[in-house]
Amino acid sequence: MTDGDEARLYPNREGGGEAADGAGDGRANVSRRGLLAGSATAGAALTAGCSSGPGDGTDTGTAAGDGSGADTVLVFNTGEATVSLIDPATDEVVDTQHVGLSSSFPSNQYAPELTTDAADPLWLNVGRGVRAVAAGSLSELARVETDSGSNWQELTPDGASVVVSAREPTHRNLLVDADRESATFGEVVAELDRTDEGGRGDREGPGPCDVTVHPDGAVAYVPDLFGDTLTVLRLDPFEIATQVDVPAAAVAAGDEADGDAGSAPWMATVAPNGDRLLVEHRTGTESVWDTSEPANPELLGLLTPDDGLGEGALTSEVDPDSRYGYVFTPGSDDVSVVDVEGQAVSDRIDIGGSAFAGTWDPGREKLYVPVQTNDEVAVIDGSSRELIERISVGSAPYGATAARVRPEPDGSASLLAAMAAVGLDVGEADTTYCIGNCACGHRL
């Protein structure tokens, strides 16, 4: 792997030059199915918009919103800056709202269980930073600018903090106060500037990419895309506890490696039991780590397409029993199921299109996988590890998270979503960083 071909890393870079700030028009091509569905939804939204009460566009309510205590999966449609709300009990879309932003990697490791009240924040990567929106209204509660267009954030298990990775050009890790009762909610309380670590080639920093928090809440793991390292962050005090060199697949196998190649770890997921860590590499490799000693991860093995892994391993989720990892492999339009303890690919689930991320429902019974190229969500049963449902959503779905509360109905937002679905311009939207394919036109 070299840094020459960076189409996946910078999907909206023009002419191979430096990426610029700004956004695209936020609109994707409109399919006939989307046109018909949007027209039908517009009619329903217009009817809803004529009724009185919260969500009809005349009652602004509070920033938290009333919300309802219903489990919900939230899918961010990058092509329309909308959110589709799915009821996991019926696997049906109950509402789609235009929110004027999108998020490719919303916090979803602990959020599905922690988000139980309308006032609770959902943490999203948006624009050049991260934001918190109220679960009950999707109204903004806080924003943290990182001066980077590629950001990842994850809640700690107690919900008190959010750990942020901000990649180039800032190469920083941040700790943000996520306690709604705190006087410093939404503020950066600690920061690590990591530019002095440098990176591969002419990179000006290690490229902290993604973050996953150990269930003990004491440490977090950050893959360093340009540093070829796995960094363990201690959260109190906020500092680097350990940094481990990550070998490329050829080196791990005992072969001679290309001098220009690197291991390029870029995404990671720690298992719920805390004993194992899955790391995806930009090279298409999957590595499995022993994290039974949380601050001292040890490499157990690597998987490549030669071992049955799908193409283009990007991100992953691990089942609640910590037995199977679901690796999203958009290059082969499937999800690779990894036996975590056996360090082997046990199955490949064909989802018929490219998916880059996914989320468990709050009960952690089903995995919801936005299939960006098909405008749908594939539902995988956690017990059988089989595809059981396909749900049509908005244009180019990418990121997803879940909550124990459902955003309140909003007739105006639903109407705008319906208008966006048929290709009407409903105003500018804040974009999000996507790896491989970004319909929203986000630039670094």
Side-chain angles (χ1 to χ4, degrees):
M1 190 278 301
T2 68
D3 287 334
D5 182 6
E6 300 191 333
R8 287 185 76 203
L9 197 57
Y10 307 109
N12 297 295
R13 177 171 287 181
E14 295 179 341
E18 289 301 314
D21 293 336
D25 62 9
R27 296 187 298 276
N29 292 331
V30 183
S31 66
R32 181 176 182 274
R33 182 179 69 174
L35 181 65
L36 295 174
S39 299
T41 306
L46 279 168
T47 302
C50 294
S51 62
S52 60
D56 65 357
T58 61
D59 183 352
T60 58
T62 65
D66 295 331
S68 69
D71 286 0
T72 306
V73 174
L74 299 90
V75 177
F76 291 86
N77 306 304
T78 60
E80 301 164 350
T82 62
V83 176
S84 292
L85 309 178
I86 296 174
D87 183 345
T90 62
D91 285 338
E92 295 179 348
V93 175
V94 295
D95 196 8
T96 299
Q97 299 185 14
H98 187 271
V99 288
L101 58 79
S102 199
S103 179
S104 53
F105 301 107
S107 175
N108 64 8
Q109 185 179 2
Y110 301 108
E113 292 90 359
L114 290 173
T115 311
T116 59
D117 186 84
D120 288 341
L122 295 169
W123 290 90
L124 318 173
N125 62 320
V126 182
R128 297 181 63 80
V130 300
R131 299 184 195 178
V133 299
S137 66
L138 303 179
S139 300
E140 183 174 317
L141 297 175
R143 69 168 64 191
V144 176
E145 298 298 329
T146 66
D147 296 323
S148 171
S150 47
N151 302 280
W152 291 262
Q153 67 292 312
E154 202 57 79
L155 275 169
T156 54
D158 61 3
S161 302
V162 168
V163 187
V164 179
S165 287
R167 216 175 64 195
E168 75 274 26
T170 57
H171 304 279
R172 292 190 295 167
N173 285 113
L174 312 174
L175 191 67
V176 177
D177 186 349
D179 181 0
R180 285 285 278 129
E181 303 303 318
S182 170
T184 56
F185 169 75
E187 297 181 12
V188 176
V189 294
E191 177 179 346
L192 295 171
D193 183 342
R194 300 180 54 199
T195 52
D196 61 352
E197 296 176 30
R200 187 186 330 108
D202 61 356
R203 300 291 184 177
E204 296 180 351
C209 192
D210 199 18
V211 59
T212 184
V213 183
H214 192 277
D216 71 1
V219 301
Y221 304 98
V222 177
D224 299 318
L225 176 60
F226 309 134
D228 298 328
T229 50
L230 178 64
T231 296
V232 183
L233 299 178
R234 183 175 288 112
L235 302 188
D236 187 16
F238 194 58
E239 62 186 9
I240 294 178
T242 317
Q243 197 167 70
V244 181
D245 290 332
V246 180
V251 175
D255 299 329
E256 184 176 349
D258 182 343
D260 293 329
S263 56
W266 63 356
M267 306 294 272
T269 305
V270 64
N273 67 6
D275 287 345
R276 294 292 183 266
L277 174 74
L278 296 182
V279 176
E280 292 75 45
H281 302 243
R282 187 181 161 201
T283 58
T285 301
E286 185 79 11
S287 58
V288 183
W289 297 72
D290 182 344
T291 50
S292 54
E293 293 186 23
N296 296 287
E298 293 186 4
L299 178 64
L300 295 175
L302 295 102
L303 299 169
T304 72
D306 290 340
D307 301 303
L309 188 72
E311 300 287 342
L314 182 58
T315 55
S316 61
E317 297 292 336
V318 180
D319 72 11
D321 295 328
S322 301
R323 182 177 178 185
Y324 293 101
Y326 294 81
V327 182
F328 307 111
T329 41
S332 47
D333 291 346
D334 55 18
V335 177
S336 298
V337 183
V338 172
D339 181 335
V340 176
E341 287 300 320
Q343 301 162 45
V345 178
S346 65
D347 197 7
R348 300 259 296 275
I349 302 173
D350 183 1
I351 56 174
S354 298
F356 305 88
T359 189
W360 292 98
D361 69 287
R364 295 193 177 272
E365 296 177 350
K366 293 180 284 188
L367 183 64
Y368 290 78
V369 185
V371 185
Q372 192 194 43
T373 53
N374 291 356
D375 296 348
E376 65 183 15
V377 172
V379 184
I380 297 173
D381 180 75
S383 298
S384 65
R385 299 181 298 283
E386 294 179 350
L387 179 66
I388 59 172
E389 188 62 81
R390 296 180 185 273
I391 307 170
S392 295
V393 290
S395 173
Y398 199 111
T401 189
R404 291 283 188 188
V405 62
R406 182 169 300 163
E408 63 182 349
D410 186 328
S412 297
S414 297
L415 177 58
L416 288 173
M419 294 170 63
V422 297
L424 297 178
D425 186 356
V426 294
E428 293 185 0
D430 292 327
T431 59
T432 189
Y433 175 66
C434 309
I435 296 174
N437 184 15
C438 196
C440 63
H442 182 73
R443 307 277 180 80
L444 291 184

